[in-house]
C-alpha cells in the first residue's frame, strides 16, 4: 500500500500539471463517488482526507462525534455511513446488535503493517469486523514540579483522594474511565459485574468529588495541563504525549494496579452504501504515509508498526506516553455488558450531582 500510494500520488501530480484545467480526478478509480466517514473530532492529520481523495478521486464527507454513545445513537437509528471509528467496547456492542458487517479479508491488505499488540483483541479476536486506527492507555498526567513520582508509586489512582492535592486535580468526564480508575484503585477488575464492587467504586468517586474539589473536564485538560494549571489529572495517553511535548515539566504515570488498554478501530456499518470504497479507505488509513500524517499531527499512537517505531525514536523520543505499556497482566480491554453499563451510567449521573452539590 505504501508503494501504491507513493506511485499513485506521483501519477496524480503529473496528471494535475498536464491536465490544462480539466478534471484531474476523472481517470481515478473512484472518481465521482463519495465515502461517508463518522470519526472523532480532531482525530485526523492535516492531509489525511485530501490524500485519500487525491489517491482515489472520491470525495470524503466527514461527520464528527464526541462520544461512542453519540455515535451509537445515529448508527442505531439507521443513518448511513461507510466507515465508523468506534472504541473497543462499542465495537463489541455493534457486533452483538448486528449493526456492522464482516470485512472482506481478500480486500484488506494492511494487516502485516500493524502492531501485533493491537491485533486480535478480545472484542474482535480474529479482526473479522475491525481494523485498528489508534490505540493507547489511560493514566495520570502530572506536573513534576508539584507531584512526586514516589507519591504516584505509593498511591496509584488513590492519589486522587490525597488531600495534599485538593483543588488541584482534573477528573475526566467519562463514566467508563472514571469507574476504571476507581475500580483499579480498589484492586478490582474494570470489567467487574459484581454489584458490590461497583457500589464501592461509586462511593470512591463520590468521596473524590466531595472532598477533593476536582474540575471535571474533557478535552480542556489537554491545553490546561500543557500550561500547568493543575497538579494532575486522568488523561488518555495520546493527549498526555502532546502535553509532554509542549511542557517538559509534565509526566505520565500508569499505576501498577492496571489501566484501560484501549483501541479505536475502523468498521463498516451493515447499511454502508459504498463498501468497496470503505475497504480502500481502511487500507489507506493503515498505510505508512497516512498513518504518519495522522499520528504525528494528533499525537495518538499509530497502529502502523513502522510509524510507531519511527515516532517513538523521533518526535516523541523520551515521551513514555506515546508507546502504550504492554506486559502488565492487570491492564485490561473494556468488555461490553449492557446490565453493567446501565449501573455505571446511573451511578455516574449521581457522581456528577454530588460534584455539583459540593461546589
Amino acid at each position: 500500500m505504501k508503494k501504491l500510494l507513493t506511485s499513485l500520488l506521483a501519477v496524480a501530480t503529473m496528471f494535475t500539471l498536464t491536465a490544462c484545467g480539466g478534471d484531474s480526478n476523472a481517470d481515478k478509480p473512484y472518481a465521482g463517488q463519495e465515502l461517508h466517514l463518522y470519526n472523532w473530532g480532531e482525530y485526523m492529520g492535516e492531509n489525511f482526507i485530501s490524500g485519500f481523495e487525491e489517491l482515489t478521486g472520491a470525495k470524503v464527507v466527514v461527520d464528527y462525534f464526541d462520544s461512542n454513545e453519540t455515535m451509537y445513537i445515529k448508527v442505531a437509528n439507521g443513518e448511513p455511513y461507510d466507515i465508523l471509528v468506534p472504541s473497543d467496547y462499542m465495537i463489541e456492542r455493534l457486533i452483538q446488535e448486528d449493526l456492522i458487517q464482516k470485512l472482506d479479508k481478500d480486500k484488506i491488505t494492511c494487516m502485516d503493517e500493524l502492531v501485533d499488540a493491537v491485533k486480535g483483541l478480545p472484542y474482535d479476536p480474529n479482526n473479522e469486523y475491525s481494523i485498528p486506527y489508534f490505540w493507547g492507555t489511560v493514566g495520570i498526567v502530572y506536573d513534576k514540579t508539584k507531584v512526586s513520582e514516589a507519591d504516584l508509586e505509593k498511591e496509584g489512582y488513590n492519589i486522587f483522594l490525597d488531600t495534599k492535592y485538593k483543588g488541584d486535580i482534573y477528573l475526566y468526564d467519562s463514566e467508563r474511565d472514571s469507574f476504571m480508575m476507581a475500580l483499579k484503585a480498589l484492586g478490582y477488575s474494570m470489567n467487574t459485574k459484581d454489584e458490590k464492587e461497583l457500589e464501592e467504586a461509586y462511593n470512591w468517586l463520590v468521596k473524590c468529588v466531595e472532598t477533593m474539589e476536582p474540575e471535571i473536564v474533557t478535552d480542556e485538560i489537554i491545553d490546561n495541563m500543557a500550561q500547568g494549571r493543575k497538579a494532575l489529572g486522568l488523561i488518555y495517553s495520546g493527549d498526555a504525549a502532546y502535553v509532554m511535548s509542549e511542557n517538559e515539566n509534565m509526566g505520565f504515570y500508569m499505576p501498577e494496579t492496571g489501566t484501560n488498554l484501549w483501541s479505536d478501530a475502523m468498521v463498516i456499518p451493515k447499511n454502508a452504501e459504498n463498501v468497496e470504497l470503505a475497504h480502500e479507505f481502511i487500507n489507506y488509513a493503515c498505510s505508512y504515509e497516512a498513518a504518519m500524517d495522522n499520528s504525528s499531527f494528533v499525537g495518538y499512537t499509530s497502529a502502523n508498526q513502522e510509524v510507531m517505531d519511527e515516532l517513538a525514536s523521533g518526535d516523541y523520543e523520551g515521551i513514555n506516553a506515546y508507546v502504550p505499556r504492554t506486559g502488565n497482566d492487570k491492564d485490561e480491554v473494556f468488555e461490553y455488558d449492557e446490565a453493567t453499563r446501565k449501573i455505571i451510567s446511573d451511578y455516574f449521573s449521581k457522581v456528577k450531582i454530588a460534584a455539583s452539590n459540593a461546589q
Side-chain angles (χ1 to χ4, degrees):
M1 187 64 197
K2 177 180 175 182
K3 293 178 181 177
L4 173 63
L5 179 66
T6 303
S7 61
L8 283 177
L9 286 176
V11 171
T13 302
M14 291 175 60
F15 186 84
T16 300
L17 292 173
T18 58
C20 300
D23 183 359
S24 62
N25 287 329
D27 292 334
K28 293 179 182 176
Y30 296 93
Q33 298 187 30
E34 286 189 350
L35 178 90
H36 289 261
L37 169 66
Y38 201 18
N39 199 357
W40 299 87
E42 299 183 5
Y43 219 41
M44 296 179 286
E46 292 179 295
N47 305 304
F48 181 66
I49 295 299
S50 61
F52 183 71
E53 292 178 331
E54 183 72 15
L55 175 67
T56 61
K59 176 179 174 56
V60 180
V61 179
V62 187
D63 285 345
Y64 301 99
F65 58 86
D66 59 7
S67 73
N68 283 288
E69 287 65 34
T70 298
M71 180 275 304
Y72 170 80
I73 290 170
K74 280 197 172 186
V75 174
N77 285 334
E79 293 205 27
Y81 292 100
D82 300 305
I83 290 284
L84 312 171
V85 191
S87 301
D88 34 50
Y89 74 93
M90 184 54 68
I91 293 172
E92 188 173 8
R93 181 177 187 179
L94 294 171
I95 293 171
Q96 288 179 13
E97 298 184 12
D98 198 30
L99 290 172
I100 57 178
Q101 59 184 276
K102 287 188 176 182
L103 303 171
D104 185 340
K105 290 298 185 71
D106 291 336
K107 294 177 181 175
I108 298 298
T109 60
C110 61
M111 291 301 290
D112 290 343
E113 299 182 64
L114 304 180
V115 179
D116 286 341
V118 80
K119 293 188 286 189
L121 294 176
Y123 62 89
D124 186 15
N126 297 310
N127 289 106
E128 293 181 287
Y129 293 90
S130 65
I131 300 296
Y133 182 84
F134 280 138
W135 65 303
T137 56
V138 175
I140 301 170
V141 62
Y142 66 99
D143 187 332
K144 292 182 281 188
T145 69
K146 299 178 181 178
V147 181
S148 72
E149 191 160 326
D151 280 352
L152 289 163
E153 291 174 350
K154 178 183 177 182
E155 299 178 283
Y157 289 117
N158 283 306
I159 198 168
F160 286 95
L161 299 180
D162 187 338
T163 54
K164 183 191 307 182
Y165 303 107
K166 181 177 181 177
D168 210 13
I169 67 172
Y170 289 117
L171 294 185
Y172 204 85
D173 193 0
S174 161
E175 59 191 45
R176 282 185 165 268
D177 291 304
S178 294
F179 268 82
M180 178 281 293
M181 172 177 66
L183 288 164
K184 290 297 186 183
L186 293 164
Y188 300 137
S189 166
M190 69 184 197
N191 288 313
T192 184
K193 298 176 185 178
D194 187 305
E195 293 188 19
K196 182 176 181 296
E197 292 178 355
L198 292 170
E199 183 180 11
E200 286 185 55
Y202 162 69
N203 290 329
W204 189 98
L205 288 168
V206 169
K207 181 179 180 181
C208 178
V209 299
E210 288 183 341
T211 63
M212 293 294 291
E213 299 178 0
E215 188 172 343
I216 301 176
V217 296
T218 53
D219 289 344
E220 309 96 278
I221 193 174
I222 304 169
D223 289 336
N224 287 344
M225 285 304 295
Q227 295 173 41
R229 290 180 177 167
K230 298 279 188 186
L232 54 91
L234 190 70
I235 197 169
Y236 295 114
S237 55
D239 294 335
Y242 171 80
V243 169
M244 293 171 71
S245 70
E246 291 292 304
N247 187 334
E248 63 182 10
N249 289 327
M250 295 297 142
F252 180 69
Y253 181 79
M254 287 177 289
E256 289 301 314
T257 51
T259 188
N260 171 15
L261 176 64
W262 60 264
S263 171
D264 293 340
M266 296 170 283
V267 301
I268 303 176
K270 267 291 181 70
N271 64 344
E273 296 178 353
N274 202 331
V275 175
E276 185 80 21
L277 189 57
H279 283 84
E280 292 286 350
F281 182 85
I282 290 172
N283 288 323
Y284 164 78
C286 295
S287 69
Y288 174 86
E289 283 84 358
M292 176 60 78
D293 181 39
N294 265 356
S295 193
S296 61
F297 184 77
V298 177
Y300 276 83
T301 310
S302 178
N304 179 295
Q305 181 76 61
E306 185 177 0
V307 171
M308 185 186 77
D309 292 344
E310 190 171 321
L311 288 175
S313 60
D315 291 358
Y316 293 102
E317 185 174 7
I319 295 177
N320 68 325
Y322 182 73
V323 178
R325 177 172 71 187
T326 56
N328 184 321
D329 59 8
K330 294 182 180 178
D331 292 342
E332 299 176 82
V333 176
F334 269 127
E335 299 170 1
Y336 177 73
D337 179 77
E338 178 62 17
T340 304
R341 182 197 68 79
K342 288 180 178 178
I343 293 171
I344 288 176
S345 182
D346 289 344
Y347 272 148
F348 195 64
S349 295
K350 294 178 182 178
V351 170
K352 299 282 285 291
I353 292 170
S356 177
N357 291 337
Q359 293 178 357

